[in-house]
Amino acid sequence: MAGELILLVDDEPNITELAELYLKQEGYRTQAVADGAAALKAAGDGQPAAIVLDLMLPELDGYEVCRRLRAADNPVPIIMLTARDDDVDKIVGLEIGADDYMTKPFNPKELVARVKALLRRAARQDQPASPVHLGDLTVDPARREVTVNGEQVELRTQEFDLLLAFAQHKGLVLERPQLLRLAWGYEYYGETRTVDVHVAHLRKKLAASQAKIETVTGVGYKLVV
């Protein structure tokens, strides 16, 4: 909702000033810090609704900031900023736990759209829904739990949302832009690699299940049993 605090972490003032301008126009409050140590302190003191976190920072880099937040069980949505597209696998990897990423330079309107999408998703988590059963796989939206043969599978927030999108459209081919809309909550802006990376991680975690995410070449993915 408008008025929520967005923490901006970047040592380039032109980046944070531009982001602040567009976020404030949408009614959000902002706080900007320029290094990783300050980011951790601000995340603890101000309890932001979302963090926009640059990868390359003084003191502690974005990787370490994200790791420490997740190690402390802080679920705050994180959008990572990077100047290099080949960092994407690491950014949304299992050991990092970022929810989304953007490469620099970026469109500030797209940043606002992604922040809104993450906050909408967080609000949706309180809405109850019936479990979905697919062979030995159960996806429970109300509890936000996934089990395979009764054994719980640990998924990060974005991984769960992506799996739920597949489960609610079982057997249907979903294009990457559709998955961005269903699981991330924003419209297609020309970058879908985050979908591919999250699918790869989901496949590893569901390796023991009868349910599989199949690639439909040139189109997208579908969940089948």
Side-chain angles (χ1 to χ4, degrees), residues 74-91:
N74 189 327
V76 60
I78 296 174
I79 300 176
M80 194 78 87
L81 300 180
T82 176
R84 295 173 46 186
D85 189 61
D86 57 2
D87 286 323
V88 173
D89 288 354
K90 299 175 185 177
I91 290 171

Side-chain angles (χ1 to χ4, degrees), residues 5-22:
L5 176 64
I6 310 301
L7 177 60
L8 304 170
V9 188
D10 200 304
D11 60 347
E12 298 180 59
N14 60 314
I15 296 290
T16 54
E17 288 170 6
L18 184 63
E20 283 187 306
L21 175 64
Y22 278 80

